[in-house]
Amino acid sequence: MSTTPDTDTRRSAAEVNEEIRALWFRAGGTLSMEERREYQRLVLEWAEAAPSSTRAA
């Protein structure tokens, strides 16, 4: 069993964005504290996955 992280499981910015949109849709536009924490985690994941030209915009 390998103990190194699997970098191939990284999601694309589009995949993470889709999950962010679904979160907002499920929440009806108002996030609970738990949903806010999930949103923040997703935004950080999206920022890591986004192309550098997107980050500068």
Side-chain angles (χ1 to χ4, degrees):
M1 176 186 256
S2 175
T3 57
T4 57
D6 185 7
T7 57
D8 292 338
T9 60
R10 209 173 234 184
R11 298 187 296 172
S12 71
E15 290 172 313
V16 179
N17 189 40
E18 185 177 323
E19 189 171 341
I20 291 169
R21 289 175 184 266
L23 174 64
W24 277 105
F25 180 77
R26 285 191 312 272
T30 304
L31 300 176
S32 68
M33 287 306 292
E34 183 178 329
E35 290 166 329
R36 284 181 189 196
R37 285 188 292 271
E38 176 68 6
Y39 174 74
Q40 290 173 343
R41 184 191 67 76
L42 289 168
V43 168
L44 290 174
E45 183 181 349
W46 175 86
E48 289 179 5
S52 59
S53 61
T54 303
R55 282 186 239 147

